[in-house]
Amino acid sequence: MAKIAADKQKSFLAHWKLHGDGKSITTGEVVQPDERLTWPRTFGIGMQHIVAMFGATFLVPLLTGFSPATTLFFTGLGTLLFIGITAGRLPSYLGSSFALIAPIGAVTGYVQGGGAPINSAKMALAQGGVISAGALLLAVGLIVHFAGAVWIDRIMPPIVTGAIVSLIGFNLAPSAWNNVKQAPVTATVTIISVLLITVLFKGIIGRLSILIGVLAGYVCAIIRGEVEFEAISKADWVGFPQFHTPAFDPSFLGLFLPVVLVLVAENIGHVKSVAAMTGQNLDDLSGRALMADGLSTMIAGSGGGSGTTTYAENIGVMAATRVYSTVAYIVAALGAIVLSMLPKFGEIIATIPPGVLGGAATILYGMIGMLGVRIWVQNQVDFSDPVNLNTAAVAMVMAIANYTLKIGDVSFEGIALGSLGAIVIYHLMRWISSIRGTSLEQASPASAPAGTELDSIAYRKRHVNAKMKGKTKQLRATERNPGAGGDKAKKGDGTS
């Protein structure tokens, strides 16, 4: 039996073959997902992944009132699950999703630093919402796995995807301000620290600007007497995270389900990014990635953790080190689980005051909003097209102003209405404009200041496509009734 166990362990570790001598990477090469460096080096890179994801991951539970230790535990567990479901081919750390902060806060009403702990009953309902989002993401993953991801692009073209990602970030802006105004000096120090570290340092230090900036803000908060340390001394050194059972209320589904659109965009984007950096075709893993993240989010919600998503922060570490080995993420996941079982460590994280969180959230929420804009830029979205312009315009205002619609006991707020609005407005306007030909109208002053876009490639392309469609229709009509075209022509000549 001992020999069988040893053989199984050996075959598991043999999944990752040694890259070269395991000590260096030749110029122009990368360590592929199924490769590794020597174990000490792999361990070190795994620790870097923990540091990279930590700055954003622990902010989510602090802003929502969830337990940082519990959330950290489920991110580690979810990452192990993700690596397993994707067969060790897709490197990723599943950290806490910022997209779920708004719906969780809407349900619990929790305010960080407000003096009252999160209501356990409302927290359970929020967990039920997290589970529902995970279940829908899992279902989408199954469809993508068997049917392909083409239909996602049709339902959510770049204009829609960018709007949804962007509106979620900007919808969170009031939450950041509520924390900043409690300690504006500390928040300002945090923001400035993050910005300066980003531009002053290269490599891994620059990529850890949020974490280091938070530490700088934390020191400022200590100096200003804004940190309480009593809970740390009372906490045990070792112990399991606190788990909480969920509850379900269908009336909250409208808050959580739209978030799935963001999680889909993040996962698909992650697959494409890793594929580009490693030179491998990973499209067949898109469905698995969505399923793994959905299952991970469901498990996290079941135990008191916030939902998960693939982390861009860790892509930065891979780009800096050129190591895409998935075994490094296993090291990171196991390290996160160990840290979650150190209660004193969890209490230290919980002492971070509102001013520091508000400063970090100002940048992070803004980054989420600008990621949506980045999607528009990368895909060259044509805003001289009135359909695109109005889709983004209406959706963004609905989310930023947090429009609310109540139907019976079900409440739909800014993110839900903005996301649904982006999808419906785009497809409805595109259908009507294609029938009426109004997409060929000249751009408005709002979309083309001083007429600069009237001669753009995108504008000319719409006219070319319309002419081609018109010729095709005319040709088909002539084929059906050959004499119709000539009679009409003669009639026109005779009456002129």
Side-chain angles (χ1 to χ4, degrees), residues 47-299:
M47 293 301 101
Q48 288 187 63
H49 280 302
I50 291 179
V51 175
M53 66 84 186
F54 201 81
T57 290
F58 76 77
L59 280 177
V60 175
L62 290 179
L63 293 170
T64 57
F66 282 29
S67 167
T70 306
T71 296
L72 191 61
F73 174 84
F74 283 114
T75 65
L77 186 61
T79 299
L80 293 176
L81 188 68
F82 187 93
I83 298 298
I85 292 178
T86 57
R89 293 174 53 203
L90 185 61
S92 176
Y93 192 92
L94 294 189
S96 303
S97 172
F98 276 80
L100 285 160
I101 292 177
I104 290 175
V107 174
T108 63
Y110 175 79
V111 178
Q112 204 283 333
I118 189 170
N119 182 288
S120 59
K122 293 181 178 179
M123 177 181 173
L125 292 173
Q127 290 175 235
V130 172
I131 294 172
S132 65
L136 181 56
L137 183 61
L138 175 62
V140 172
L142 284 169
I143 296 172
V144 171
H145 183 68
F146 291 106
V150 177
W151 64 276
I152 293 180
D153 295 330
R154 292 177 179 173
I155 295 176
M156 294 191 301
I159 176 61
V160 174
T161 304
I164 293 173
V165 173
S166 191
L167 66 82
I168 285 180
F170 294 135
N171 177 266
L172 292 168
S175 175
W177 170 239
N178 288 334
N179 281 324
V180 169
K181 64 185 179 183
Q182 295 185 52
V185 174
T186 301
T188 301
V189 169
T190 303
I191 293 172
I192 293 175
S193 297
V194 173
L195 299 180
L196 287 178
I197 291 165
T198 300
V199 295
L200 286 176
F201 298 95
K202 299 178 180 179
I204 189 65
I205 295 179
R207 296 184 186 280
L208 297 178
S209 58
I210 292 177
L211 178 62
I212 299 173
V214 165
L215 292 175
Y218 190 72
V219 171
C220 176
I222 293 175
I223 294 173
R224 294 177 59 82
E226 298 170 358
V227 182
E228 297 290 339
F229 294 103
E230 294 181 7
I232 299 175
S233 59
K234 297 178 181 179
D236 296 328
W237 283 101
V238 179
F240 284 101
Q242 296 180 346
F243 299 112
H244 302 270
T245 56
F248 297 90
D249 187 339
S251 64
F252 294 127
L253 292 179
L255 295 172
F256 288 89
L257 296 187
V259 172
V260 173
L261 300 175
V262 181
L263 299 179
V264 169
E266 288 176 339
N267 276 272
I268 298 297
H270 183 85
V271 173
K272 293 184 182 297
S273 296
V274 174
M277 291 186 290
T278 60
Q280 296 185 4
N281 185 351
L282 302 174
D283 288 347
D284 62 308
L285 294 179
S286 297
R288 290 193 188 189
L290 294 169
M291 286 189 287
D293 192 11
L295 186 57
S296 172
T297 296
M298 291 179 68
I299 293 174

Side-chain angles (χ1 to χ4, degrees), residues 474-496:
Q474 185 177 6
L475 180 61
R476 289 176 179 172
T478 303
E479 289 175 349
R480 287 195 299 267
N481 189 0
D487 294 341
K488 287 183 179 178
K490 291 179 182 178
K491 183 177 180 181
D493 292 336
T495 57
S496 59

Side-chain angles (χ1 to χ4, degrees), residues 385-387 428-440:
D385 183 340
V387 175
L428 184 60
M429 287 188 70
R430 180 65 69 208
W431 176 65
I432 295 175
S433 68
S434 65
I435 295 174
R436 297 286 300 150
T438 50
S439 62
L440 301 178

Side-chain angles (χ1 to χ4, degrees), residues 285-372:
L285 294 179
S286 297
R288 290 193 188 189
L290 294 169
M291 286 189 287
D293 192 11
L295 186 57
S296 172
T297 296
M298 291 179 68
I299 293 174
S302 299
S306 52
T308 60
T309 188
T310 51
Y311 255 33
E313 287 84 346
N314 296 91
I315 286 183
V317 174
M318 292 190 289
T321 61
R322 290 187 292 156
V323 177
Y324 298 88
S325 174
T326 50
V327 73
Y329 281 96
I330 292 178
V331 172
L334 294 174
I337 291 173
V338 170
L339 287 175
S340 72
M341 296 182 181
L342 303 176
K344 281 190 180 295
F345 177 77
E347 290 298 335
I348 291 173
I349 299 302
T351 61
I352 297 176
V356 178
L357 293 175
T362 297
I363 296 175
L364 287 171
Y365 296 166
M367 283 183 176
I368 296 173
M370 295 312 297
L371 280 175

